[in-house]
Amino acid sequence: MNKKIIFLFFSFLALISFSAFVAADDPLATLLKKLEEFTKKYPQEKVYLHLDKPYYAVGDNIWFKAYVIDGKTSAPSTLSNILYVELINERDSITKQLKLPMESGITWGDFKLADTLADGNYRIRAYTQWMRNAGPDFFFDKTIKIGNAWANEVFTKTTNVLSTEGNTDKVSSTIQFTDKKGSPYANTQVIYEALIGNKIVARGKELTNGNGEVVIHINNNQAGKSGKIIASIMVDKQKIVKSIPIKTTSTAVDVQFFPEGGTLVEGLPSKIGIKAINAIGLGENISGQVIDNDGSEVLTFETTHLGMGSLFLSPVAGKTYSAKVKFANGSEKTIPLPKVEKSGYALSINNNDSAKVAVKVMLTADLLNKGELKLVAQHNGGVYFSSTIPTTKQIALLSMPKKEFISGITQFTLFNADNVPISERIIFIANNSDQIKLDAQNLQSSYTKRGKVDLNFIATNNNKPLQGSFSVAVTNTSAVTPDLENESNILTRLLLTADLVGYVEKPNYYFLNHDLKTQTALDNLMLTQGWRKINWKLINDNQMPFLAYQPEKTMKISGKITKGGKPVVNGKVMLFSTSGGFFTTDTLSNAKGEFSFDDISFRDSTRFVVQARTDKNNKNVQIDLDIVPGQVVTPNKNTGDVEINVNEVLMPYLNQSNSYFDEQYKMGLMNRTIMLKEIKVVEQKVSAPNSQNLNGAGNADAVITAKDLQNSFSLSQYLSGRLAGITVRNGKAYLRSGARPMSINLDGMTMSDDFMLDDIVVQDIETVEVLKNIGNTAIYGSAGAGGVLVITTKRGAGTSDYNRYAPGIVTYSPKGFYVNREFYSPKYDANPDPKPDLRTTVYWNPHLVSNIEGKATLTYYNTDQPGTYRIVIEGIDVAGNLARRVYTYQVN
């Protein structure tokens, strides 16, 4: 909705009242109507995950709640009902993926960190299929540290010394290898490879010195600057492999200058944003002077926060400008400022006033009286201000109230008379009216160990109670130390970083205080960071972007049936599964041969068989399922959050986690993986590789291999008279003593009764395990009463999601929904327990709902660990108002 301009100034003195509403036939109205239509067809989604804590240990659980909102309105999204959450390792490989059902933009889940995981820098990534159209820049993608002390025998500590010689970057990495107690592995051989990107730049063998150290020298003259060292060391005849990140090989600092609005124009004063970042992606403060082409100093400047700052410059006609930059190490470099245009526009915005936004539009004299300009302020397609601006004067000043804007990033775009964008600027709006206020009613300042905490809080917005969904995490700061400035939370994500491109260093810094210093730093971030942009040219030209992915409302299995390359019309398609019980349904194909089983729901690891026939029951058809390709894992953009020495940094937390895990292990509540010492295998023979025989591979009365079948034209032909006690009648196998056909288990799937032996091409068979005796068939229950044929195919070894064995039959193992686990919280008033309570996450509740009076209640018990306990509450209501509140108390 368009809002009214409070004031519009033309020239320096004239004050004119002006309405922001425009006539329906106005070019601006046409542009805004196109934008509205565009955003209706292509709404955006943003996702945030509230994690129970910022780092973890192998053996831990990662508990999380996901919030998915509409990018335009900030209300919980109703577009997608399925969310994907992934745990990604340092090799940019997906370790685990969860598929979660959502309702009203909310879901939750967890990852169990097995003790076989390596320590390192992991990522948690979350997205919907619809979000894939915008690209991974706008996924939730957070780097977390996972340490390993409980199941780890080798610890490393690495220090890097960087230098440059010509065009070659040099790194000297000193790696110390120690055991859990800190004792060095002295005089031990280390075999290593150093990679920059995917290219090996160094390899070799070294013996550790008396301190357990080796020094690895790396030379890098390629464009890539980050990589890793893969080092292996033998401990008690066991090979231990460690991956050590190389964050960068470069000492260079990149300095860029960003004119406000996009361009520098002669005679028009401009603010210029400055950004200096090192090769890791972290800001480095600089200072310097701006000099003109005559070598005269024009002004001095310095950055003030994380390498960002700004300066003001009034370009003079005929002049060019450079910045003479001085770095922290004393070195200097001269960098040209952006080119100064002779003609053009300048857009300047002052966002320091808490109540209003002041906008200045300037143009050069040659552009006077060249038609009306248009100014549009929008947030992800939602327009909050629009106006036409006459070009009768060189300066126009506008002012608009902040209360009319939604919290988050607002993009201002200036258009010329032809509706071509000529200048853009983003600002951050903090509007208290769309924030949820949380007030704790009965929180005490201190509690005892194992003390009961009963907490009520009231949720309000603009002094009115509201119903919302909240997530609550409680930790002990003596074990889980918060990094306040670098925290990722519901506000930093959904209001700030979800609309920005690239890495944002210490995002919560901008939300901790609201003073002028913080506001200035935030505005400098807006001047220098890339953002999610509206493609105005596409909108103006009525061009709609290509959408490869549609919103997922429900699970479905769909595809197409063809025969001889032509669609099969009215073909009968049957879907069935025996995973977790028997399930079957059927449908008919349409005029294009397409079929779909919609609105189905199933757990992960469910295996289906799709069987198709023509309307004349001809099984010689081809089934092609609709398979959505997986999302590619892009390199970690959060390079500034990568930690080289994860275990060392997390050691206080790991020590407490170890004690907790030991207690859990003693009580039988945790398992421990035992790594066997390295042995040499002289000969290995598996009679039925990849078999899913419930008795174990090869445990059968007879095993038929592909070699046995190589001269047979069908399975029924081979079985006829070949095996004692088996006959073949009407395409089915029978035990001589029984009237019931033998059950067929194909790659772990029990096939339907109408499945024939020759429905599968014999050349596709790897093994057939024949189960006749009750000792082998009992495990299959009633399905094994007539005997079982366990068939394993060459292409269906259980590792593929989608396998075609024969005409008219495919098996399919799509990703199913993850079944959430429940966080365990002890109740000590009813069940006193003498065992020590060393939990690192004291309490977690992903879905605490306030009632109609805005009240929510939670109860939990403290652990045996004293310290400052921290309660973090985050949440959202149906209107998209966000909540975050942090409380602390002492446990003595």
Side-chain angles (χ1 to χ4, degrees):
M1 180 184 294
N2 296 344
K3 304 299 179 183
K4 287 192 174 182
I5 301 180
I6 302 304
F7 301 109
L8 176 64
F9 296 90
F10 291 112
S11 78
F12 291 100
L13 301 175
L15 172 61
I16 302 175
S17 178
F18 191 81
S19 171
F21 294 100
V22 292
D25 58 349
D26 187 275
L28 177 57
T30 302
L31 179 67
L32 297 182
K33 184 173 179 58
K34 289 181 179 180
L35 175 62
E36 182 179 5
E37 292 173 351
F38 181 88
T39 53
K40 280 183 179 178
K41 291 182 178 179
Y42 306 106
Q44 298 169 353
E45 289 182 315
K46 305 177 188 177
V47 58
Y48 161 70
L49 264 60
H50 179 193
L51 307 181
D52 63 311
K53 50 184 175 252
Y55 46 77
Y56 299 87
V58 164
D60 265 337
N61 299 294
I62 299 176
W63 305 95
F64 64 83
K65 180 177 182 178
Y67 298 86
V68 181
I69 67 170
D70 181 296
K72 180 179 178 180
T73 65
S74 293
S77 177
T78 57
L79 185 64
S80 298
N81 290 338
I82 296 176
L83 182 73
Y84 297 83
V85 184
E86 297 164 341
L87 182 65
I88 301 172
N89 62 25
E90 289 183 327
R91 299 188 302 276
D92 293 329
S93 298
I94 296 174
T95 300
K96 293 185 179 180
Q97 183 192 65
L98 306 182
K99 186 175 184 178
L100 300 170
M102 285 195 300
E103 186 173 346
S104 299
I106 290 172
T107 188
W108 53 90
D110 58 87
F111 288 108
K112 173 64 179 176
L113 302 179
D115 64 357
T116 54
L117 282 181
D119 55 88
N121 298 274
Y122 287 73
R123 296 153 59 191
I124 293 183
R125 186 174 74 169
Y127 56 90
T128 65
Q129 290 291 348
W130 179 256
M131 290 177 66
R132 295 177 67 179
N133 293 303
D137 279 338
F138 303 107
F139 294 175
F140 177 86
D141 196 332
K142 179 178 174 59
T143 298
I144 60 170
K145 294 182 282 289
I146 298 179
N148 186 356
W150 192 56
N152 190 9
E153 299 298 330
V154 177
F155 293 77
T156 60
K157 178 181 178 180
T158 304
T159 56
N160 293 322
V161 177
L162 308 181
S163 61
T164 304
E165 187 175 308
N167 294 324
T168 301
D169 295 330
K170 295 192 170 189
V171 182
S172 292
S173 292
T174 302
I175 308 173
Q176 183 184 39
F177 296 84
T178 63
D179 63 14
K180 193 175 296 189
K181 297 179 180 179
S183 301
Y185 288 111
N187 302 314
T188 306
Q189 187 181 75
V190 174
I191 302 173
Y192 67 87
E193 284 185 346
L195 297 90
I196 301 299
N198 293 319
K199 183 180 179 181
I200 297 174
V201 295
R203 61 174 14 135
K205 300 178 182 178
E206 297 284 346
L207 278 179
T208 58
N209 61 20
N211 294 321
E213 298 171 335
V214 296
V215 180
I216 298 174
H217 300 286
I218 301 168
N219 294 331
N220 179 36
N221 55 13
Q222 54 184 339
K225 302 299 181 185
S226 62
K228 58 190 172 185
I229 297 172
I230 307 295
S232 62
I233 185 172
M234 295 295 294
V235 176
D236 294 331
K237 296 183 180 181
Q238 182 179 328
K239 182 180 178 181
I240 307 294
V241 179
K242 311 297 289 187
S243 179
I244 300 150
I246 302 173
K247 296 179 72 170
T248 183
T249 64
S250 174
T251 59
V253 177
D254 180 59
V255 181
Q256 297 184 64
F257 296 89
F258 301 89
E260 184 177 19
T263 55
L264 292 175
V265 183
E266 288 184 358
L268 303 183
S270 293
K271 186 177 185 178
I272 301 175
I274 310 167
K275 189 164 193 173
I277 57 173
N278 59 27
I280 298 172
L282 299 177
E284 291 205 5
N285 284 327
I286 59 171
S287 60
Q289 307 89 38
V290 172
I291 55 177
D292 62 21
N293 51 310
D294 295 326
S296 301
E297 181 181 302
V298 178
L299 55 86
T300 60
F301 65 85
E302 64 178 348
T303 59
T304 54
H305 177 70
L306 301 177
M308 290 177 287
S310 60
L311 60 88
F312 287 89
L313 179 67
S314 295
V316 177
K319 294 283 189 180
T320 59
Y321 299 90
S322 301
K324 189 175 182 181
V325 178
K326 185 174 183 179
F327 300 101
N329 62 3
S331 63
E332 295 184 351
K333 184 178 182 179
T334 300
I335 301 170
L337 292 189
K339 179 184 176 182
V340 179
E341 303 292 339
K342 293 183 177 296
S343 173
Y345 305 86
L347 175 64
S348 176
I349 299 181
N350 187 331
N351 193 30
N352 289 334
D353 194 305
S354 60
K356 64 185 179 181
V357 178
V359 179
K360 180 190 291 186
V361 177
M362 297 171 282
L363 58 151
T364 51
D366 63 304
L367 297 175
L368 289 169
N369 302 309
K370 293 292 179 68
E372 289 183 326
L373 304 177
K374 296 99 176 175
L375 183 67
V376 175
Q378 54 85 22
H379 172 84
N380 290 328
V383 176
Y384 291 87
F385 175 86
S386 63
S387 175
T388 57
I389 302 174
T391 55
T392 54
K393 301 290 184 179
Q394 280 189 262
I395 299 178
L397 303 177
L398 303 88
S399 177
M400 57 212 71
K402 287 186 175 180
K403 66 180 182 179
E404 303 293 346
F405 290 80
I406 193 172
S407 289
I409 292 175
T410 296
Q411 177 181 332
F412 285 79
T413 306
L414 184 67
F415 299 85
N416 65 14
D418 298 321
N419 281 352
V420 176
I422 51 178
S423 188
E424 287 189 320
R425 167 81 148 94
I426 59 172
I427 64 171
F428 186 85
I429 299 287
N431 191 339
N432 291 330
S433 65
D434 54 25
Q435 304 288 310
I436 297 174
K437 183 181 179 183
L438 299 178
D439 290 310
Q441 290 187 316
N442 54 341
L443 182 67
Q444 302 175 27
S445 60
S446 64
Y447 293 85
T448 61
K449 297 176 184 178
R450 299 198 182 191
K452 184 178 182 180
V453 178
D454 289 310
L455 174 62
N456 299 327
F457 65 83
I458 302 295
T460 59
N461 174 248
N462 296 320
N463 298 317
K464 296 179 181 179
L466 58 83
Q467 289 184 284
S469 174
F470 302 89
S471 47
V472 183
V474 182
T475 55
N476 185 346
T477 60
S478 64
V480 182
T481 306
D483 185 354
L484 295 182
E485 292 187 355
N486 202 38
E487 277 187 324
S488 175
N489 57 59
I490 197 169
L491 302 180
T492 65
R493 172 61 189 174
L494 296 182
L495 300 184
L496 182 65
T497 61
D499 285 322
L500 297 177
V501 176
Y503 173 66
V504 177
E505 184 179 356
K506 297 184 177 180
N508 200 39
Y509 169 84
Y510 306 105
F511 292 82
L512 292 175
N513 297 294
H514 302 286
D515 54 17
L516 182 59
K517 179 182 176 183
T518 305
Q519 291 180 25
T520 300
L522 180 54
D523 199 53
N524 287 333
L525 176 69
M526 297 294 98
L527 280 170
T528 59
Q529 191 83 19
W531 70 90
R532 185 197 302 257
K533 295 187 178 183
I534 292 286
N535 192 325
W536 291 104
K537 187 177 187 308
L538 288 181
I539 294 174
N540 242 336
D541 296 342
N542 294 316
Q543 295 181 19
M544 298 305 171
F546 171 73
L547 297 176
Y549 308 97
Q550 296 301 316
E552 279 188 297
K553 294 292 187 181
T554 63
M555 288 180 170
K556 71 175 184 178
I557 295 176
S558 61
K560 185 175 183 179
I561 316 170
T562 58
K563 188 177 191 311
K566 296 180 180 180
V568 174
V569 182
N570 292 326
K572 183 179 179 180
V573 188
M574 185 169 69
L575 175 73
F576 65 91
S577 173
T578 57
S579 300
F582 187 76
F583 162 84
T584 182
T585 184
D586 57 42
T587 188
L588 297 177
S589 60
N590 63 18
K592 297 180 181 179
E594 299 167 337
F595 66 89
S596 182
F597 297 99
D598 298 316
D599 201 17
I600 58 177
S601 182
F602 49 89
R603 294 183 177 186
D604 206 9
S605 302
T606 301
R607 196 171 180 88
F608 293 95
V609 172
V610 182
Q611 183 173 293
R613 299 288 186 268
T614 67
D615 56 352
K616 293 181 171 50
N617 206 34
N618 188 326
K619 63 187 178 185
N620 190 27
V621 298
Q622 178 170 317
I623 305 172
D624 293 299
L625 297 182
D626 297 328
I627 305 297
V628 178
Q631 174 62 41
V632 173
V633 179
T634 53
N636 190 353
K637 68 177 181 180
N638 306 312
T639 52
D641 292 334
V642 172
E643 174 58 53
I644 296 176
N645 300 303
V646 169
N647 283 331
E648 182 185 24
V649 170
L650 299 185
M651 193 51 69
Y653 173 77
L654 296 180
N655 287 335
Q656 180 165 331
S657 296
N658 286 351
S659 300
Y660 174 63
F661 296 155
D662 286 339
E663 289 299 322
Q664 294 286 293
Y665 181 68
K666 291 175 185 177
M667 293 185 288
L669 299 177
M670 283 189 71
N671 295 321
R672 196 168 203 157
T673 302
I674 299 174
M675 302 299 294
L676 300 177
K677 295 181 180 180
E678 188 175 53
I679 60 173
K680 291 184 178 181
V681 178
V682 178
E683 182 180 1
Q684 184 178 27
K685 182 178 180 180
V686 178
S687 58
N690 302 314
S691 166
Q692 296 192 43
N693 184 348
L694 298 181
N695 297 293
N699 292 326
D701 296 293
V703 178
I704 304 167
T705 66
K707 185 177 180 181
D708 297 327
L709 295 168
Q710 63 185 358
N711 295 320
S712 300
F713 60 82
S714 70
L715 182 57
S716 62
Q717 179 256 333
Y718 180 87
L719 291 176
S720 298
R722 294 285 187 100
L723 294 177
I726 292 181
T727 62
V728 175
R729 302 193 301 268
N730 300 320
K732 295 179 179 291
Y734 292 80
L735 296 178
R736 291 189 191 276
S737 58
R740 181 174 179 176
M742 298 183 73
S743 174
I744 296 177
N745 186 282
L746 182 64
D747 287 332
M749 290 292 299
T750 301
M751 308 306 289
S752 61
D753 291 339
D754 62 350
F755 187 88
M756 302 295 180
L757 289 172
D758 296 336
D759 280 345
I760 182 169
V761 179
V762 70
Q763 287 79 15
D764 288 341
I765 297 175
E766 182 70 34
T767 59
V768 178
E769 295 165 90
V770 182
L771 312 183
K772 298 187 297 180
N773 296 323
I774 191 170
N776 288 325
T777 61
I779 196 169
Y780 286 89
S782 61
V788 182
L789 295 177
V790 180
I791 303 175
T792 303
T793 64
K794 296 175 181 177
R795 292 174 293 172
T799 58
S800 174
D801 287 342
Y802 172 22
N803 296 290
R804 181 182 292 112
Y805 309 112
I809 298 175
V810 297
T811 65
Y812 184 34
S813 298
K815 190 72 179 177
F817 284 142
Y818 175 72
V819 179
N820 295 327
R821 295 178 299 141
E822 185 176 351
F823 179 84
Y824 170 72
S825 184
K827 294 179 173 59
Y828 288 126
D829 54 353
N831 300 297
D833 190 342
K835 299 182 182 64
D837 185 347
L838 305 173
R839 288 169 291 141
T840 53
T841 297
V842 180
Y843 179 74
W844 168 253
N845 189 333
H847 189 49
L848 187 63
V849 179
S850 56
N851 62 22
I852 195 170
E853 297 173 344
K855 183 177 180 179
T857 301
L858 59 126
T859 299
Y860 62 91
Y861 292 81
N862 298 317
T863 72
D864 288 328
Q865 301 295 307
T868 301
Y869 282 47
R870 187 173 189 248
I871 306 172
V872 177
I873 307 174
E874 298 187 341
I876 192 170
D877 69 2
V878 68
N881 300 309
L882 302 178
R884 187 172 196 268
R885 189 68 188 267
V886 178
Y887 296 99
T888 59
Y889 63 88
Q890 291 296 128
V891 172
N892 301 312

